[in-house]
Structure formats: C-alpha cells, structure tokens
Amino acid sequence: MKVLINAANLHNGGGVQVASSFINELPFLSSVAVKEFDILVSSEVDRNIDQSVKNFFQNYTVYNIFGVKNYKKNLGIFDSYDLVFTVFGPCYYPVKGIDLVGFAQAWILYPENECYSMLSGLEKLKYKLKFHLQKKFFKKSDVCVVELEHAKQRLVELDIFKSEYIHVAYNTVSNVYFSPEMWEKIEVESSEKVKIGLISRDYFHKNTNILPKIKGILKNKYNKDIDFYVTFNELEWKSKSLDFQNNIINVGPLKINQCPNFYERMDAIIFPSLLECFSATPLEAMIMKKPLFASERGFIKDVCSDFAFYFEPTDPYSAAAVINNFIENQCDEKLEAKLLAAKKHAENFSNARHRAVKYVDIIEDCLSKVDRTYVSR
C-alpha cells in the first residue's frame, strides 16, 4: 500500500508546526510501515524537519502547493497512492485512493460567528464565498481528522461528514518544548518593561488589532508602560496601521525551535482570538510556565480550564483590567504554584508522540477497510 503524507500546502501558522512535529516523530514509532511512507512537504515545513528524519524516508520531497494556483501542473500528483493524508486541508486535487484530510477551519464550523459582524459587507461576502468553496472541497474527501470533540460534533450537525468518517486526534505542543538543547535563540531588545507576547499569524479572527488599544489603556488609565510583541511576517507587518506599528514590537516569523526562546523572553503571553478549532499557543505558554491572558471563550476554556486569566476579547478595557490586576495583586508564591499546575495540565493534555501514533493508527484503519467504500460526497 502506497501512502503519502501531504504537507505541501502548508506555509504558515499552526499547520506548519503540526505537520513538522508529526513527520519528525515518525521515525520513532514502532510501526514498520512508516518508513515506506512518501513525504511531500512545503519549503516552510521542510525548514523544521531534522536532517536525520529526511534521510529516514525513501521518498522525501519538497514541493509547494498554493491552493488552486498552477492547478493543471499539479493535476495527477496524487494518482499513484492508495491513501493520501493531507495533514490540514482542504485538498484541492483529485485523490484516486483514500482521501484522508485534517480539518481545522473554525469559520466553516461556526458560519454565524461573531467575526462576521466586524467585517464590511464586501469583506463578509469574500469570506463567505471562500469558506463555501472550501467546504465543498472538504466534503469531497473520504475521511477527516479533527483536533477536539466539538469539531466532530459540528461537522456532523452541518452534514459535512458522517460521524463514522471522523477521527479525533488531540493537538498538542511540539516535542521541541521538552528538548532545550534544540532551542534556538532570538534577538529581543532588553528592557525593564513588562513584556507580553503573542505567537500568531495576523489572521482576522486572531483579533490582533486590540493590542495597541490594550497598551494605551494600560498606560493612560493604570500608568503601566508595557511592551507587546508579535511574530508577523513582512507583508503582515506592512499591512498594519501606523498606530499599530508605533506601539507594538514585531520580531518576525519564528521557526519552531525558536518559539521556546520567545516564550522565555516574555513575562506573559496574550491570546485574544475570537475563533478557533484549536490553537497550541495556550498550551505552549503553560508548558513554558508563562502567565496566559486569554479570550473568555469556550474553545480556550476547553483546553486551559482555570489556568488562564480570562478577558472579554471584544473589549480592550476588559483585557487591560485583567492584566493590571495581575500585575498589582499576583502573589509570587501563589503564581508559581498556579504556573506549575498549568504546566502539568498542559503536559497531560496530549503529546506529540501520542498524536503521531494516533495519526498512523487512523491511516492503518483506513487501509484495513477491505471494501474501501466511503460515502460519496
């Protein structure tokens, strides 16, 4: 059976991290079949794969797919495989074998989400069209993998997949967080100010425009001069307003093994997102024993329980009040105990090895179905 692990379509964000972590784990699994997997990765994923791992596979290829761009050129790329696992989809190209795809698109799961009310009429139309098309491509796949139970439930409710064709594999942090010898240092200007960071792309639902507002309220209302740090790429940074650029510090995009050092350099982490299927950032912050200021939303509380300091993400005054209260009143002894408990909670949530094993189990389960008859979508 020929199996392809497809991460050629992943170029940024959490998808790159998940795919890199999964592929880096494969040589250490007990299943002998993984050595025969073909690996197709984007340049961005390739940057995070160990050379020894690349050498482990007989067919490891760097190839970039950007949606439907160069569609004719990419046609037939998956024809020779019995199963193609696209780590995060949708997969826009025909798969003759079993089409297994990872699903993590919260805009599709929650089509009436609060983000739409913040968009202009034209922007709303563009988003709805984009995710309508993505949903059609997802429905063409045979089997999907989601990161939490709420995603499976919503896929069934929306009639995108039937329950028996949905697997749950918990997301987690990369094993790099448990291997300090792999950490790569980054340059962050030394400062006596409190430093609060966010590792994220500048997607609309990440709600990053709230950051300079929080900074201004902390300074003007609470007399707290705090530095906020982000990790945007050059295009994202140039698209931000002058007010944002004048008040927020950008360290640029990070490789996976640079992220732990970013957390080390911060005094706390902020996560103001309005919409997620799952994000590893809150778990990473807890693993690194950093106070986490996060959106008071179910998709965060399901992961973080009582270990985050929650605020209303549509209200910068709420976020500023929570941060100020933390600075003013947090006892060092109690904080250390809470951060240690949070770290243990994050460690027990899942781990990269377990996720990799689960992915391989799902692949083998799909291949073991003798009739290989899946519901036509």
Side-chain angles (χ1 to χ4, degrees):
M1 295 287 187
K2 289 192 65 178
V3 172
L4 175 69
I5 307 301
N6 172 33
N9 62 323
L10 302 175
H11 303 281
N12 46 62
V16 169
Q17 179 167 325
V18 172
S20 304
S21 173
F22 171 47
I23 294 168
N24 278 323
E25 289 294 325
L26 285 174
F28 305 100
L29 304 188
S30 58
S31 173
V32 295
V34 299
K35 188 176 181 64
E36 298 178 4
F37 288 179
D38 284 0
I39 308 295
L40 193 69
V41 298
S42 67
S43 300
E44 291 78 9
V45 173
D46 177 65
R47 290 175 62 215
N48 295 287
I49 304 297
D50 297 337
Q51 186 59 50
S52 61
V53 173
K54 299 177 188 180
N55 296 337
F56 174 82
F57 297 102
Q58 297 175 14
N59 293 297
Y60 176 97
T61 306
V62 180
Y63 187 83
N64 291 295
I65 295 176
F66 296 94
V68 294
K69 185 178 179 181
N70 298 320
Y71 187 82
K72 290 185 178 180
K73 174 187 174 184
N74 295 327
L75 274 176
I77 193 171
F78 303 134
D79 284 357
S80 63
Y81 292 97
D82 296 289
L83 181 146
V84 175
F85 174 32
T86 301
V87 180
F88 285 111
C91 178
Y92 293 105
Y93 299 91
V95 176
K96 290 187 175 181
I98 299 168
D99 185 359
L100 172 63
V101 62
F103 184 100
Q105 187 45 269
W107 288 81
I108 294 176
L109 290 185
Y110 302 100
E112 304 302 325
N113 68 77
E114 63 187 314
C115 294
Y116 279 117
S117 65
M118 303 167 67
L119 294 169
S120 69
L122 180 59
E123 288 173 326
K124 186 183 298 185
L125 181 62
K126 288 181 179 179
Y127 271 72
K128 284 187 176 291
L129 178 60
K130 172 185 175 180
F131 296 119
H132 174 74
L133 292 173
Q134 282 194 1
K135 183 170 76 170
K136 282 185 171 294
F137 279 102
F138 272 118
K139 292 184 72 171
K140 290 181 179 179
S141 297
D142 296 309
V143 188
C144 83
V145 186
V146 297
E147 298 165 301
L148 290 171
E149 279 81 2
H150 81 92
K152 177 175 181 176
Q153 179 181 343
R154 287 295 294 162
L155 285 174
V156 174
E157 291 173 354
L158 295 170
D159 196 29
I160 297 175
F161 283 93
K162 294 189 180 299
S163 178
E164 58 266 36
Y165 301 117
I166 306 172
H167 297 268
V168 180
Y170 291 136
N171 203 335
T172 184
V173 301
S174 169
N175 269 350
V176 72
Y177 286 88
F178 305 99
S179 305
E181 70 278 3
M182 298 173 61
W183 297 357
E184 183 178 327
K185 291 186 177 181
I186 61 170
E187 293 297 325
V188 175
E189 291 183 11
S190 59
S191 170
E192 294 184 357
K193 297 180 184 178
V194 172
K195 296 186 285 293
I196 300 178
L198 169 62
I199 294 182
S200 175
R201 290 294 308 276
D202 189 33
Y203 298 130
F204 180 78
H205 65 274
K206 296 294 186 181
N207 194 31
T208 62
N209 285 337
I210 199 175
L211 297 181
K213 299 173 185 176
I214 298 171
K215 178 182 174 69
I217 295 166
L218 282 166
K219 186 172 184 178
N220 297 325
K221 183 175 181 178
Y222 298 107
N223 197 30
K224 300 287 192 305
D225 192 7
I226 292 175
D227 282 339
F228 285 82
Y229 293 77
V230 295
T231 59
F232 296 166
N233 63 35
E234 184 177 0
L235 181 62
E236 290 169 337
W237 182 247
K238 286 182 177 179
S239 71
K240 304 306 286 184
S241 68
L242 285 177
D243 178 64
F244 192 100
Q245 293 182 14
N246 290 334
N247 286 284
I248 307 300
I249 301 169
N250 183 34
V251 301
L254 304 177
K255 294 189 297 182
I256 291 171
N257 63 352
Q258 292 175 319
C259 292
N261 189 242
F262 177 88
Y263 285 112
E264 275 195 323
R265 305 294 292 273
M266 297 296 112
D267 297 298
I269 301 300
I270 190 167
F271 192 70
S273 181
L274 295 168
L275 184 66
E276 301 285 341
C277 279
F278 178 94
S279 174
T281 297
L283 286 176
E284 292 166 355
M286 291 191 287
I287 288 289
M288 296 299 295
K289 293 179 64 177
K290 294 297 175 178
L292 173 67
F293 306 118
S295 301
E296 191 168 13
R297 293 292 185 270
F299 58 81
I300 299 294
K301 289 190 169 184
D302 285 349
V303 174
C304 298
S305 187
D306 297 327
F307 297 110
F309 299 89
Y310 294 105
F311 62 87
E312 169 50 50
T314 61
D315 182 4
Y317 284 91
S318 170
V322 169
I323 294 171
N324 178 69
N325 183 64
F326 171 85
I327 295 172
E328 291 286 341
N329 301 313
Q330 192 63 48
C331 168
D332 288 345
E333 186 175 327
K334 289 184 178 179
L335 175 61
E336 180 62 26
K338 181 168 184 173
L339 295 179
L340 181 59
K343 176 179 172 67
K344 291 180 179 178
H345 169 78
E347 289 172 341
N348 292 330
F349 188 84
S350 182
N351 63 56
R353 184 66 50 85
H354 289 164
R355 178 178 57 194
V357 169
K358 181 65 175 179
Y359 279 160
V360 172
D361 286 346
I362 293 168
I363 290 170
E364 292 178 344
D365 177 72
C366 290
L367 292 172
S368 71
K369 297 184 184 301
V370 178
D371 59 3
R372 290 197 227 160
T373 56
Y374 293 94
V375 174
S376 174
R377 308 190 188 282

